[in-house]
Amino acid sequence: MKYTQLGRTGLKVSRLVLGTMNFGPQTDEADSHAIMDAALDTGINFFDTANVYGWGENKGRTESIIGNWFAKGGERRDKVVLATKMYGNMAAEGDAWPNHDKLSALNIRRAVDASLKRLRTDYIDVYQFHHIDRATPFEEIWQAIDVLVRQGKILYAGSSNFPGYKIAQANEIAARRGGTIGLVSEQCLYNLVERRAEMEVIPAAQEYGLGVIPWSPLQGGLLGGVIKKEVQGGRRASGRAADTLADPTSRAQIQAYEDLLEKHGIEPGEAALAWLLTRPGITGPIVGPRTAEQLRSALRAVELELSDDLLTSLDEIFPGPGPSPEAFAW
């Protein structure tokens, strides 16, 4: 496994991030524990989750599965850089209560204590805001985070799904407060198909020293060889991938992508991950394996070297917006 610093911090993390969103809803606890053991055995030390994972009536279930795995011992917790997220209401569906969601100081305090209990740990390495809160000023947010850092409950704060201007605003206010390190990472939707983050989010993250952690690196399976799998009678596309393939132009684009990689003898999903690892400012993509084989495939991407010719061809199939701000200003 290869490692890098998380943004401007001294924290060293693996270049693949283990996403746990499937733990509970799609992968049972025993298999989830086996995947985490396998990830740790291969050197993946950065695990990502969120308090709402498990979804619906099972919100928090994923954190509990991870907590039970930590409780097995074997230095599991000590070896893992643990990241979780908060924002959504954790009450049962239809039973939402004021101040039980978003980023008020009250809810941050409530949410972190509940996550610590489910995760069966006394600290969280990277505590992330799952979304912006338009109603809560960053002065209040940073006050709450400073208290948690002093209490030893969290070490760093990160963001997810933030626009570039909010990354800048958050860190400028942190700097004015003094003694607050500010955001150290940003999780954003970023892959070969969805490259809008290159316009503002990634430049802002680089300017302020945030590590960038792409989620959905295969665009919901679209970049994982979905057409080939359909032809071979395998798992059919669903959700975002199926919607994209319904458009003839987009389907032709994905077909060209798969044909290109077949010519180079590279698996599409592995190429999509390897491409992200070549991008400036990227810490590592989040991979969310449902099975051990999917984890092994992701690991192969770390060692995969993409030639300059292949990178050029990928840009031709999936052209990005271009340099910022020229791409939208000139």
Side-chain angles (χ1 to χ4, degrees):
M1 178 52 59
K2 297 177 181 178
Y3 299 89
T4 189
Q5 305 302 126
L6 181 62
R8 66 189 184 282
T9 76
L11 195 62
K12 188 171 289 187
V13 295
S14 51
R15 297 225 63 199
L16 287 181
V17 183
L18 181 68
T20 62
M21 189 169 65
N22 290 322
F23 294 175
Q26 297 190 46
T27 307
D28 67 23
E29 181 156 346
D31 287 343
S32 298
H33 286 189
I35 289 172
M36 287 187 280
D37 280 332
L40 207 57
D41 287 345
T42 59
I44 295 177
N45 75 333
F46 199 6
F47 289 17
D48 176 73
T49 191
N51 60 356
V52 295
Y53 289 173
W55 310 109
E57 295 180 355
N58 295 311
K59 292 174 185 175
R61 176 62 180 147
T62 303
E63 285 189 333
S64 294
I65 288 173
I66 297 169
N68 292 341
W69 180 74
F70 284 147
K72 290 182 174 182
E75 299 184 325
R76 285 174 170 83
R77 177 64 188 98
D78 188 55
K79 293 176 180 178
V80 168
V81 175
L82 175 64
T84 192
K85 301 183 283 290
M86 60 81 60
Y87 176 87
N89 200 303
M90 292 295 289
E93 298 296 333
D95 192 30
W97 194 253
N99 302 312
H100 280 236
D101 64 358
K102 301 185 180 176
L103 304 182
S104 69
L106 176 59
N107 192 50
I108 289 174
R109 175 181 177 178
R110 176 186 291 115
V112 75
D113 285 343
S115 284
L116 288 170
K117 185 176 180 179
R118 286 188 294 268
L119 289 163
R120 302 176 71 170
T121 185
D122 56 3
Y123 73 100
I124 293 163
D125 297 281
V126 186
Y127 198 53
Q128 302 161 116
F129 312 126
H130 215 158
H131 200 279
I132 64 168
D133 181 355
R134 295 178 174 87
T136 304
F138 276 111
E139 288 84 355
E140 176 179 345
I141 293 169
W142 288 129
Q143 181 184 50
I145 293 300
D146 288 347
V147 170
L148 294 176
V149 170
R150 288 196 298 271
Q151 291 174 335
K153 293 181 179 180
I154 69 170
L155 301 182
Y156 304 95
S159 58
S160 182
N161 306 308
F162 272 34
Y165 82 96
K166 279 294 182 181
I167 291 172
Q169 183 184 49
N171 275 19
E172 288 296 333
I173 291 173
R176 289 202 296 270
R177 283 177 52 82
T180 299
I181 192 172
L183 299 173
V184 303
S185 62
E186 160 61 18
Q187 279 191 31
C188 61
L189 176 60
Y190 183 45
N191 54 57
L192 272 164
V193 174
E194 178 49 80
R195 295 179 62 170
R196 284 178 293 177
E198 295 174 3
M199 299 287 279
E200 292 283 0
V201 174
I202 293 174
Q206 290 183 280
E207 185 72 21
Y208 285 94
L210 279 67
V212 177
I213 306 167
W215 60 267
S216 196
L218 304 187
Q219 188 69 354
L222 190 66
L223 295 169
V226 65
I227 296 177
K228 181 179 179 181
K229 290 174 184 176
E230 282 187 357
V231 171
Q232 294 176 343
R235 185 180 180 192
R236 295 185 63 82
S238 60
R240 192 186 316 150
D243 292 342
T244 302
L245 291 179
D247 174 64
T249 301
S250 297
R251 187 178 184 90
Q253 186 183 41
I254 299 302
Q255 186 67 68
Y257 165 72
E258 293 188 15
D259 290 345
L260 171 68
L261 294 172
E262 185 174 10
K263 184 175 70 173
H264 284 266
I266 299 174
E267 289 296 319
E270 295 171 19
L273 293 173
W275 177 83
L276 281 168
L277 293 172
T278 71
R279 305 305 297 168
I282 300 302
T283 300
I286 297 174
V287 296
R290 294 186 304 275
T291 65
E293 173 51 36
Q294 289 178 346
L295 176 61
R296 286 191 290 270
S297 177
L299 289 166
R300 290 192 290 269
V302 178
E303 303 300 328
L304 185 59
E305 297 286 342
L306 303 182
S307 67
D308 290 342
D309 287 344
L310 179 53
L311 289 170
T312 298
S313 297
L314 289 171
D315 273 335
E316 290 171 353
I317 295 172
F318 302 111
S324 177
E326 291 83 355
F328 60 86
W330 294 354

